[in-house]
Structure formats: structure tokens, C-alpha cells
Amino acid sequence: MLKRAKVIILHRMPYSDSSLIVKGFCSDFGVQSFLVKSAKSKNCPFKSSLDPLAESEIVFHDSGKSDLHFIREASLIDWFPHLRKDLEKNAMAEVIAEILLRYLSAGPSQELVFRYTEKALQILDRGEKPQETLVRWMWHVADCEGYALSLHECVRCGAEIQNFPADFLFENGGALCQNCLGVLQPEHSPEFLADIARLSTREQLHNPRFLECEFFKYLKNHLGENREVKSYHWLQEVRNYAFCKTDS
Ligand SMILES: [Zn+2]
């Protein structure tokens, strides 16, 4: 059966001298694997449409017998050229791709996650506040995958949170009100808690990397096996390098 789908290419690897295996995240079919014959030939019709991090529309053949599908047609929608020129943005996009690759399954429609991912790549490529892209994407994905964190209601008593939470307990599912915190010291700094409140108001975050780190741990713990996400370490290296460079 021929199927048509929008896809974000997550990864590709050589399969033989001339062929490639491409893994892509499809809006309607989740993460799928494709065999692309003669992909390395200069006559390959697909060109950049199957580059990692490209968004394309593909037509593929699903025989129903194999998990590896043949791509018949591919046309590029967006190559996100600007994010490729920026080491940090590129690393952030790779973290997104690797999380999808490791944790999302094939089969069910993941349209909402797809739309958030598409949007995240667009922002990294040419949008405002690219620094917040990864944490906001992880926040949305946690929500889509059934691990939503409560920002507006206290996880203990259900009271509405005014302004910002007195503390934020990832392991308990979100915000804590002042009453429930009582005399205890919060785990997180006031700056962190104010940023938590800014997530839903879409105001600019003051320290998106702090939130990013916590959301990454949260998402990783909840999406099943605690597998390594190598690109996340690479992202930290890129940032450290950029920091050293500015410092010197
Ligand atoms: Zn409470």
C-alpha cells in the first residue's frame, strides 16, 4: 500500500555501498524506517529531502510485512538552513531528534508531537527566543505523552497557584502552593519558580537552561528506559566551548 506523509528526518545510516536506511518521524505513523536504494548516487532523485533534520513530504510503500519501507517520492518542505549554521541551535535540534528516535514508537499518529517538533525547528531556524525552544518542546512532549506537569494547580491540595508556585516538584507532578509548602524550604530558587510560571504565559524565560536541564531529566525518567541521549551531552559541550570562547 502506498502511503503519503509529512516526515522529519531524524537519522540516516549506510546500509550497503549504495543504499541508506533513513529514520523519520511521520505525523501520521510515528517513527518509521525507510530503505533508500541508490541514495548515494548523484542521480538519486531525493537529494536533500532525506537529510537529517529536513522536513519533507514522502510517498512510501508499506507492504505490511516489514518494518522497513521503500520511499517512492520525496519532496523537501523545509531544510532549516539557518539552524544548520549555528552549532548550538543545531545541537538543540539534534537533542529533539534523538529523543524522538529513542523514545517514540512506530504506529500511532503523533500529530501533536509532530506539530510541536515542526514548530521547534522553525523557531530554531528563524524564530524569536530560540534559547527556549528545547525546554518548551520538552514541556509540550511531556504533556502529549501523558506526563503533563501541573503549573496552575497545587499538586497536593488543588488550590489555584497565584503568580508563581512556592515550589515545583517534578517527582510529584508539578506546582506546590505556599500553604502546602508550609515552613519548608523550597527545592528550587525563586528565579526558577518564576520561569516555571512564564512557561505558560509565554513570557521570556530568564534562565531557560536551568529549566531545560530539569525537564530533560523528567522526560527521560518518564519515557521508559533510561537510555543515553548523546546529543544532550554534545549540546553541553558546545555551550561550554562557546562560553570559554567568549570569556577569553
Ligand atoms: Zn496546596
Side-chain angles (χ1 to χ4, degrees), residues 41-67:
S41 135
K42 65 177 191 300
N43 298 323
C44 174
F46 305 134
K47 298 202 171 71
S48 50
S49 58
L50 300 179
D51 285 351
L53 299 178
E55 181 183 6
S56 298
E57 185 169 273
I58 56 168
V59 176
F60 64 97
H61 184 251
D62 181 0
S63 67
K65 293 177 192 152
S66 162
D67 291 336

Side-chain angles (χ1 to χ4, degrees), residues 154-159 161 175-181:
C154 173
V155 288
R156 223 161 264 170
C157 71
I161 301 289
L176 202 65
C177 75
Q178 190 58 57
N179 266 342
C180 291
L181 180 67

Side-chain angles (χ1 to χ4, degrees), residues 38-183:
S38 311
K40 294 176 186 171
S41 135
K42 65 177 191 300
N43 298 323
C44 174
F46 305 134
K47 298 202 171 71
S48 50
S49 58
L50 300 179
D51 285 351
L53 299 178
E55 181 183 6
S56 298
E57 185 169 273
I58 56 168
V59 176
F60 64 97
H61 184 251
D62 181 0
S63 67
K65 293 177 192 152
S66 162
D67 291 336
L68 203 55
H69 313 300
F70 289 98
I71 293 189
R72 293 288 181 85
E73 294 167 29
S75 50
L76 185 67
I77 296 172
D78 201 335
W79 198 67
F80 307 107
H82 305 294
L83 83 79
R84 290 170 198 273
K85 291 182 205 148
D86 183 303
L87 215 50
E88 186 185 357
K89 289 178 185 173
N90 195 66
M92 288 166 99
E94 281 179 20
V95 172
I96 290 175
E98 194 175 345
I99 290 175
L100 291 170
L101 199 59
R102 295 208 178 277
Y103 294 106
L104 258 61
S105 54
S109 170
Q110 308 261 12
E111 205 194 326
L112 204 52
V113 178
F114 187 90
R115 270 194 273 148
Y116 283 127
T117 305
E118 189 180 42
K119 180 91 183 152
L121 294 176
Q122 287 166 357
I123 292 172
L124 285 175
D125 191 55
R126 52 194 179 262
E128 287 174 19
K129 299 185 270 185
Q131 295 302 327
E132 303 182 3
T133 312
L134 186 53
V135 62
R136 288 190 180 278
W137 179 84
M138 290 192 286
W139 173 48
H140 288 309
V141 168
D143 209 343
C144 294
E145 295 299 302
Y147 310 107
L149 286 156
S150 173
L151 266 53
H152 303 293
E153 280 178 11
C154 173
V155 288
R156 223 161 264 170
C157 71
E160 194 186 329
I161 301 289
Q162 307 290 342
N163 300 321
F164 56 88
D167 202 2
F168 199 77
L169 309 176
F170 281 89
E171 68 276 21
N172 295 338
L176 202 65
C177 75
Q178 190 58 57
N179 266 342
C180 291
L181 180 67
V183 294

Side-chain angles (χ1 to χ4, degrees), residues 155-239:
V155 288
R156 223 161 264 170
C157 71
E160 194 186 329
I161 301 289
Q162 307 290 342
N163 300 321
F164 56 88
D167 202 2
F168 199 77
L169 309 176
F170 281 89
E171 68 276 21
N172 295 338
L176 202 65
C177 75
Q178 190 58 57
N179 266 342
C180 291
L181 180 67
V183 294
L184 295 176
Q185 284 296 315
E187 276 180 35
H188 295 288
S189 67
E191 293 76 20
F192 183 96
L193 297 167
D195 266 354
I196 284 284
R198 289 185 192 108
L199 270 179
S200 58
T201 58
R202 304 206 64 80
E203 287 168 272
Q204 182 150 10
L205 304 180
H206 289 194
N207 198 336
R209 288 185 194 175
F210 267 29
L211 261 68
E212 189 187 283
C213 177
E214 294 299 321
F215 273 84
F216 178 72
K217 280 190 258 173
Y218 175 76
L219 199 61
K220 222 166 146 249
N221 286 340
H222 278 77
L223 287 179
E225 287 175 69
N226 206 355
R227 298 181 212 173
E228 200 62 31
V229 178
K230 288 185 192 137
S231 51
Y232 188 74
H233 299 291
W234 168 240
L235 173 62
Q236 310 316 317
E237 276 184 41
V238 166
R239 285 170 174 168

